[in-house]
Amino acid sequence: AQSVTQLDSHVSVSEGTPVLLRCNYSSSYSPSLFWYVQHPNKGLQLLLKYTSAATLVKGINGFEAEFKKSETSFHLTKPSAHMSDAAEYFCVVKGMDSNYQLIWGAGTKLIIKP
Amino acid sequence: DAGVIQSPRHEVTEMGQEVTLRCKPISGHDYLFWYRQTMMRGLELLIYFNNNVPIDDSGMPEDRFSAKMPNASFSTLKIQPSEPRDSAVYFCASRGLNTGELFFGEGSRLTVL
């Protein structure tokens, strides 16, 4: 069975400093992994996805994530935070045994301090 | 493409009233999903369709909830009768075959008084 754990419910960083949002997954198959972002009062938007190609995945708005099988992690990073990055971020895993089952993390709220 | 379109964006109703939420998926997408998001429970999958056929409705909270997809370009989620605990943001999402990427609408914020 697949599962996903976002290790922090809230992360607070200063504008211009690096961002690290942590995600660990559990999967008995080679997973597909995603990060989605939800800005206040908006729908969810795909930031990036890993589907067994390059382990370092680049997404929109300067975000990237690295798939580390040995650590079962898929942490989301950005070198320099911007005020517009304030949002909630969801890590999602899709197992290869199903064509629909998406397992959502609980979300991490990113707060940007001016 | 205009993306996934949901209506209404906001709905305020009184307990006991019928609520109908609507969704137009992205053209060509085979799958359509209805999610509910609340502060307490986060994002919950209610039901999903494949080629207009309901595949898994195990997330539908109770018989007051029903969903239909009469054709590939339209789906409804109905709550009858509505209760205050149904207050939430309801999202519709669609995706194509063999891809995990979901495209979400902007959501319908429901408030039941």
Side-chain angles (χ1 to χ4, degrees):
Chain A
Q2 290 80 33
S3 67
V4 61
T5 302
Q6 291 184 244
L7 297 162
D8 307 293
S9 60
H10 294 78
V11 169
S12 180
V13 301
S14 297
E15 190 176 19
T17 64
V19 174
L20 170 64
L21 305 182
R22 298 182 295 166
C23 173
N24 285 101
Y25 70 91
S26 171
S27 176
S28 52
Y29 298 83
S30 180
S32 294
L33 293 155
F34 309 82
W35 276 98
Y36 281 81
V37 60
Q38 184 178 27
H39 287 93
N41 301 313
K42 294 289 187 182
L44 291 93
Q45 180 186 18
L46 181 70
L47 262 185
L48 50 81
K49 61 182 176 182
Y50 167 77
T51 54
S52 75
T55 56
L56 182 63
V57 182
K58 293 189 185 299
I60 61 172
N61 301 334
F63 283 93
E64 61 182 37
E66 187 171 7
F67 173 70
K68 291 187 176 180
K69 187 174 180 179
S70 60
E71 299 176 11
T72 61
S73 69
F74 190 57
H75 300 335
L76 182 69
T77 61
K78 183 173 180 177
S80 176
H82 191 272
M83 293 301 291
S84 61
D85 296 328
E88 189 154 19
Y89 293 80
F90 294 90
C91 184
V92 185
V93 62
K94 181 176 87 76
M96 295 298 288
D97 58 331
S98 167
N99 203 31
Y100 69 87
Q101 191 71 4
L102 293 181
I103 310 299
W104 291 76
T108 298
K109 188 160 288 187
L110 178 61
I111 300 161
I112 311 295
K113 296 178 289 187
Chain B
D1 199 314
V4 176
I5 299 172
Q6 291 186 247
S7 65
R9 290 294 314 279
H10 300 274
E11 171 108 4
V12 180
T13 190
E14 292 189 344
M15 183 174 63
Q17 297 298 306
E18 178 178 292
V19 172
T20 300
L21 307 179
R22 297 172 178 81
C23 176
K24 181 181 188 308
I26 291 173
S27 176
H29 279 187
D30 303 276
Y31 288 84
L32 183 141
F33 301 78
W34 282 101
Y35 283 88
R36 177 172 69 176
Q37 187 178 39
T38 60
M39 290 289 291
M40 291 296 294
R41 300 172 70 92
L43 197 65
E44 303 173 277
L45 176 64
L46 300 177
I47 185 173
Y48 81 96
F49 295 82
N50 180 21
N51 291 324
N52 313 338
V53 176
I55 302 300
D56 184 353
D57 65 354
S58 59
M60 296 284 260
E62 48 197 275
D63 291 345
R64 298 184 297 106
F65 285 69
S66 62
K68 294 182 179 179
M69 193 165 185
N71 57 62
S73 60
F74 184 66
S75 177
T76 59
L77 177 67
K78 188 173 291 188
I79 309 171
Q80 167 63 18
S82 58
E83 296 182 4
R85 60 193 168 119
D86 302 331
S87 299
V89 181
Y90 291 82
F91 287 103
C92 176
S94 69
R95 71 174 174 91
L97 186 63
N98 296 326
T99 173
E101 179 178 353
L102 288 181
F103 293 82
F104 282 81
E106 296 220 321
S108 294
R109 182 176 295 275
L110 173 65
T111 303
V112 183
L113 302 174

